């Protein structure tokens, strides 16, 4: 089926009518919810009843080739740690295993290991969903203090379709991309930004659905889970270990629902909440970003950084100035994307990175865009691509209406002064996309699951873990949550304590004590 403008407008109108009464904030997920864990407890292990079989070493592996140096150069990372090996490969997947759509898709994979990592240990499969390229997430992890995890076993990251090094998707014009990315700040006329982005969403949807036809429905989390299953078959093993971070946790849970018998270990790191509509998910992310900014500002002030005694106030002023057009073609949305990208970067942000970022922001305040420009380009490139857009919209169930987004732009702009208004307008990016069904959660899964999270996560947001552990508990799983008391995403990329917990769990399926805390 090919989509025409008339058909799309009719579809969009139907979506707005049917969701108009249900698009408000969601405070109560439509799944079981566990209470957030209170207090701090020492890491301990507990025996697992009916321990699942261990993950297996691939019998038929991919055709790996070394890509360490070019990957670090592409992602502007520092020199690779001594002994680190990054290897890249591709493998073919069916566009649709159900047979409704024929053809194959080229998926990208990356394996990270040290030269001392045992070769007879099963890998951990990583997906970071549509938040950013999984291979970029893995490379950033490998560039930091990842010794305990990578020294114990290799990690294999799989990019979602159209993202990272997987077969690209190119369906948007530069004007559409710019309108959505900058939220129409620099378009001619006086159109409300919500209306302008909603109109761009219509144009983007028509262009991408036409480009993808007849495979336009194969970029959701369920098909991403099928791609993991096809890798398992390529490896000729029965059981694998899977880690999903951010929206990748939804992919991992979809894999657990469809292929749970093949899961040996399941780790969900900073999962996004389940049971919420688009507005509820967006507000959780905004709250997480604001919490991460507060933590950054506290560290920045303690280091006597160049943003002064109140870094948060200084950053708020910069975002407001960008919104007023004071920085040329650097929009408020692009600056917020850069802030969010820094706060949610998988790389470990030490004192030097904090002060360097503060210096770039300070220079911007003085009218010098030189230091901030490469950071803006890196962060926007990491997430603002056509494949990310298609994947994000394919999982964007229960979208918001323009009227609701306008209300939220005012409310969130006052309540969440740095990230709120941009997030509200961004609700329109996928509003014209045919609303997909909610991703089905596991209905029967009785294996132990390790859940990680941070107290200030700008990507997954806050308070998301209870809805996830509640859903897993309802399916019969036993879960244990480990909470990192710092800011960033994902948790295991920043916390050696969390990495050790993952290493121990992957070895023998023993969960730590529920509510274990890892200090920042």
């Amino acid at each position: 089926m090919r989509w025409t403008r008339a058909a799309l407008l009719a579809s969009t109108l139907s979506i707005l009518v049917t969701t108009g009464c249900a698009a408000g904030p969601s405070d109560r997920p439509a799944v079981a919810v566990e209470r957030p864990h209170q207090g701090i407890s020492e890491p301990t292990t507990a025996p697992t009843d009916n321990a699942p079989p261990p993950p297996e070493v691939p019998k038929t592996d991919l055709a790996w080739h070394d890509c360490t140096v070019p990957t670090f150069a592409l992602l502007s990372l520092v020199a690779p740690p001594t002994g680190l090996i990054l290897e890249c490969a591709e493998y073919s997947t069916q566009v649709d295993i159900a047979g409704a759509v024929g053809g194959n898709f080229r998926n990208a994979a990356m394996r990270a290991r040290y030269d001392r990592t045992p070769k007879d240990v099963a890998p951990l499969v990583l997906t970071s969903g549509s938040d950013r390229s999984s291979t970029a997430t893995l490379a950033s992890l490998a560039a930091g203090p990842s010794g305990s995890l990578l020294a114990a076993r290799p990690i294999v990251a799989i990019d979602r379709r159209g993202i990272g090094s997987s077969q690209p998707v190119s369906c948007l014009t530069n004007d559409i991309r710019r309108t959505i990315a900058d939220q129409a700040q620099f378009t001619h006329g006086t159109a409300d930004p919500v209306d302008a982005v909603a109109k761009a969403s219509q144009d983007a949807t028509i262009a991408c659905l036409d480009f993808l036809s007849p495979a336009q429905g194969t970029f959701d989390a369920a098909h991403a889970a099928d791609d993991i299953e096809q890798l398992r078959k390529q490896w000729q093993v029965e059981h694998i270990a899977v880690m999903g971070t951010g929206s990748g946790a939804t992919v991992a849970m979809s894999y657990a629902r469809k292929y749970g018998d093949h899961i040996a270990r399941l780790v969900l790191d900073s999962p996004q909440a389940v049971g919420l509509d688009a507005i509820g998910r967006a507000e959780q992310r905004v709250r997480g970003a604001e919490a991460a900014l507060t933590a950054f500002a506290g560290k920045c002030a303690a280091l006597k950084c160049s943003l002064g005694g109140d870094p948060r106030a200084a950053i708020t002023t910069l975002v407001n100035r960008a919104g007023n057009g004071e920085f040329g073609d650097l929009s408020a949305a692009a600056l917020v994307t850069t802030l969010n990208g820094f706060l949610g970067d998988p790389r470990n942000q030490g004192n030097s990175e904090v002060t360097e970022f503060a210096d770039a922001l300070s220079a911007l305040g003085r009218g010098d865009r030189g230091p901030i420009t490469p950071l803006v380009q890196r962060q926007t490139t990491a997430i603002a691509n056509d494949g990310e857009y298609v994947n994000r919209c394919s999982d964007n169930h229960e979208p918001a209406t323009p009227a609701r987004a306008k209300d939220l732009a005012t409310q969130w702009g006052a309540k969440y002064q740095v990230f709120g208004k941009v997030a509200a307008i961004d609700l329109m990016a996928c509003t014209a996309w045919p609303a997909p069904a909610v991703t089905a959660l596991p209905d029967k899964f009785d294996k132990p699951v390790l859940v990680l999270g941070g107290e200030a996560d700008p990507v997954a947001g806050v308070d998301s873990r209870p809805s996830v552990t509640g859903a897993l508990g309802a399916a019969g799983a036993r879960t244990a949550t480990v909470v990192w008391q710092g800011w960033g995403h994902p948790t295991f990329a920043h916390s050696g304590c969390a990495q050790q917990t993952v290493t121990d769990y992957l070895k023998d399926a023993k969960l730590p004590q529920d509510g274990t805390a890892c200090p920042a």
Side-chain angles (χ1 to χ4, degrees):
M1 175 180 179
R2 299 188 66 81
W3 287 72
T4 64
R5 181 171 293 273
L8 175 66
L9 294 177
S11 173
T12 303
L13 178 61
S14 174
I15 293 169
L16 298 185
V17 170
T18 56
T19 62
C21 296
S26 295
D27 297 323
R28 293 168 295 186
V31 296
V33 176
E34 292 187 344
R35 292 181 178 275
H37 305 294
Q38 304 293 327
I40 300 176
S41 55
E42 294 298 323
T44 59
T45 57
T48 301
D49 297 332
N50 301 319
E56 300 161 29
V57 179
K59 295 182 177 66
T60 304
D61 214 337
L62 304 181
W64 298 105
H65 65 274
D66 188 282
C67 57
T68 310
V69 173
T71 297
F72 270 64
L74 178 66
L75 298 175
S76 300
L77 299 172
V78 296
T82 302
L84 176 68
I85 300 171
L86 298 182
E87 297 163 298
C88 295
E90 297 175 349
Y91 70 101
S92 181
T93 64
Q94 291 178 265
V95 171
D96 181 35
I97 62 170
V101 181
N104 296 318
F105 207 92
R106 175 173 54 79
N107 277 67
M110 176 184 288
R111 180 171 67 184
R113 61 185 177 89
Y114 284 111
D115 52 10
R116 64 182 183 276
T117 304
K119 292 182 172 59
D120 58 350
V121 177
L124 170 64
V125 178
L126 168 69
T127 172
S128 55
S130 60
D131 296 325
R132 66 175 60 222
S133 162
S134 299
T135 54
T137 297
L138 177 56
S140 297
L141 162 73
S146 56
S148 63
L149 190 54
L150 280 180
R153 69 181 64 239
I155 301 177
V156 174
I158 302 175
D159 281 334
R160 278 186 70 160
R161 300 179 179 188
I163 295 180
S165 297
S166 287
Q167 184 174 326
V169 170
S170 181
C171 55
L172 301 179
T173 65
N174 289 334
D175 286 344
I176 293 175
R177 291 190 196 98
R178 183 68 184 269
T179 299
I180 294 175
D182 289 333
Q183 300 189 338
Q185 182 171 331
F186 303 113
T187 58
H188 297 292
T190 59
D192 183 278
V194 169
D195 292 332
V197 175
K199 172 61 169 60
S201 175
Q202 292 180 357
D203 295 338
T205 300
I206 291 170
C208 288
L209 294 186
D210 274 349
F211 176 84
L212 297 171
S213 181
Q216 65 267 19
T218 65
F219 287 80
D220 57 5
H223 283 82
D226 294 337
D227 292 345
I228 295 177
E229 173 63 4
Q230 293 189 61
L231 176 63
R232 182 195 67 79
K233 291 180 177 179
Q234 170 88 20
W235 279 344
Q236 296 186 15
V237 298
E238 285 299 314
H239 302 98
I240 60 175
V242 179
M243 170 186 279
T245 68
S247 65
T250 305
V251 176
M253 286 193 288
S254 182
Y255 186 85
R257 177 183 173 85
K258 301 179 75 172
Y259 309 106
D261 289 345
H262 294 299
I263 288 185
R265 309 285 188 268
L266 179 59
V267 182
L268 304 179
D269 186 336
S270 310
Q272 69 177 10
V274 300
L276 294 183
D277 61 13
I279 293 174
R281 294 191 301 274
E283 185 167 16
Q284 283 199 332
R285 290 193 298 271
V286 168
R287 291 172 58 204
E290 293 283 344
L293 181 61
T294 296
F296 164 81
K299 188 170 186 178
C300 195
L303 294 171
K304 300 186 183 302
C305 70
S306 57
L307 288 171
D310 191 348
R312 170 179 264 282
I315 290 172
T316 302
T317 298
L318 288 175
V319 172
N320 291 335
R321 290 176 63 186
N324 292 330
E326 294 186 30
F327 302 132
D329 60 357
L330 176 60
S331 66
L335 182 55
V336 165
T337 295
T338 304
L339 289 167
N340 204 296
F342 176 83
L343 297 172
D345 197 312
R347 291 174 294 182
N348 191 42
Q349 307 289 20
N351 291 347
S352 61
E353 287 79 14
V354 168
T355 55
E356 288 173 6
F357 188 60
D359 289 345
L361 293 172
S362 298
L364 177 64
R366 298 190 301 270
D368 179 6
R369 291 174 48 185
I372 200 71
T373 296
L375 303 180
V376 173
Q377 292 174 342
R378 184 171 67 199
Q379 297 300 342
T380 54
T381 300
I383 63 170
N385 58 76
D386 296 4
E388 188 275 339
Y389 178 80
V390 169
N391 279 273
R392 175 163 64 116
C393 293
S394 295
D395 290 331
N396 187 55
H397 58 85
E398 299 182 72
T401 65
R404 184 65 177 135
K406 291 179 182 180
D407 289 342
L408 290 173
T410 299
Q411 296 172 21
W412 287 0
K415 187 176 182 180
Y416 310 113
Q417 295 184 356
V418 174
F419 299 96
K421 184 177 180 179
V422 168
I425 299 172
D426 190 58
L427 287 168
M428 292 296 95
C430 294
T431 190
W433 197 273
V438 177
T439 303
L441 299 173
D443 53 4
K444 184 178 181 181
F445 189 75
D446 60 359
K447 297 176 182 177
V449 181
L450 177 62
V451 181
L452 309 176
E455 292 186 342
D457 190 311
V459 176
V462 296
D463 300 333
S464 59
R465 294 182 301 276
S467 67
V468 173
T469 54
L472 290 170
R478 189 166 68 87
T479 64
T481 298
V482 174
V483 179
W484 176 53
Q485 298 171 321
W487 55 272
H489 177 91
T491 294
F492 86 116
H494 297 277
S495 169
C497 163
Q499 286 186 29
Q500 189 59 54
T501 302
V502 174
T503 300
D504 294 341
Y505 164 74
L506 293 174
K507 181 179 179 181
D508 53 22
K510 290 183 179 179
L511 292 173
Q513 183 173 319
D514 192 22
T516 293
C518 286

